[in-house]
Structures are given as C-alpha cells and as structure tokens.
Amino acid sequence: MRTLITVAGRRWPVEEDFQTGKDAFGLDHSQVRTYPALLRHLVLTMAALAVCAVTAARARTTSGSTMPLPISPNDVPPADPGLIALTVAEVKRLVNLLTHRWHDLEHHLRWHIWRRRHQARARWFHHRTRLNRRLNRRCVTART
C-alpha cells in the first residue's frame, strides 16, 4: 500500500506539468504526421516549459515579498499585500514581451505588477475566509 501511495504521489506533479504544457505552451497543438516532427514539437515545448519553471523556481527563492498570511479571522488586511511569487505562466508572459508587444513595455510591466499584487491580496483574503469557516465549524461542533 505504501508503494502505491508513493507512486501516486509521484504521478501527480507529472500530470500537472502536462496540463500546464497543454494549457500554456501548446503541447497538444501539433498537426504533424511523422515521428521526428512530433518529437521535435514535444522536445521544444517541454524545453520551453522547463526553462520557465526553472526561472520561476529561482525567482521564488530570491523574492519573498508577500505579506504574512492572517492568523485569526479578525486580522485587518495589510495596506500593501506584496506580490505573489513568479509562476510559470507569469514567466511565460514576460518572455512573450520580448517578441510580442501590443502596448509599450511600461504598460505591460504595470499590468504584470498589478496582477501579482491583486493575486497576493486575493490569497490573503482567501486564507482569512478559510479561518472564518474553521472557526464557525468549531462553534457548531461545540454546540452539538
């Protein structure tokens, strides 16, 4: 049983990587008919995903700008929630700025910062709501 759980635990990240590869990098968007062409497409797609994942992981270790999560349901939200760590999707968006620009670079960078700050704020409120729900469940359980 322990071996089955270990194997299932190792498979989950692989499934998530393939899902990210399909959603963000077009892993499933090939119309090739030969094996070498399919292999080239898969290798290039997975290499792009790997580069973005490594970049996001390295940036995550150097930039810890998010505010601490709430401890109690009554905590007041911080004025500046900070920024979430770079994700693979955010790194891909930044790399796309090197080749495609619909607006000036400052506009894209402001939008990038706004999105990361908004996600950090949403994360903080999500955790506070979860604390509220836990507290409510304890109160209901204590009454019964």
Side-chain angles (χ1 to χ4, degrees):
M1 187 63 154
R2 174 178 262 164
T3 305
L4 288 174
I5 292 171
T6 304
V7 169
R10 288 183 183 160
R11 182 179 173 189
W12 186 257
V14 172
E15 294 290 334
E16 285 182 342
D17 289 344
F18 275 114
Q19 188 65 36
T20 302
K22 287 193 283 186
D23 290 345
F25 292 90
L27 184 61
D28 57 347
H29 293 158
S30 65
Q31 296 182 359
V32 296
R33 296 183 187 270
T34 63
Y35 179 75
L38 177 64
L39 189 61
R40 275 187 227 115
H41 175 74
L42 292 175
V43 167
L44 287 173
T45 303
M46 295 307 284
L49 174 60
V51 167
C52 289
V54 167
T55 304
R58 283 197 176 165
R60 197 172 296 131
T61 60
T62 59
S63 65
S65 62
T66 52
M67 295 298 290
L69 294 175
I71 299 170
S72 77
N74 300 325
D75 283 354
V76 178
D80 181 18
L83 304 172
I84 63 163
L86 278 176
T87 61
V88 173
E90 287 295 324
V91 171
K92 180 185 174 253
R93 284 187 193 99
L94 290 173
V95 169
N96 281 343
L97 283 179
L98 298 175
T99 57
H100 300 88
R101 286 193 196 146
W102 294 272
H103 300 284
D104 59 342
L105 186 60
E106 290 79 25
H107 170 81
H108 285 289
L109 292 178
R110 277 194 313 269
W111 176 248
H112 169 76
I113 297 295
W114 178 88
R115 181 176 38 244
R116 288 178 60 203
R117 183 166 285 121
H118 177 74
Q119 289 172 345
R121 185 175 291 117
R123 178 177 178 250
W124 192 91
F125 278 103
H126 172 75
H127 280 277
R128 190 175 76 170
T129 302
R130 289 182 69 195
L131 287 172
N132 246 342
R133 287 184 186 155
R134 279 191 203 140
L135 183 64
N136 289 341
R137 275 192 226 135
R138 286 183 194 155
C139 291
V140 170
T141 308
R143 284 185 214 151
T144 58

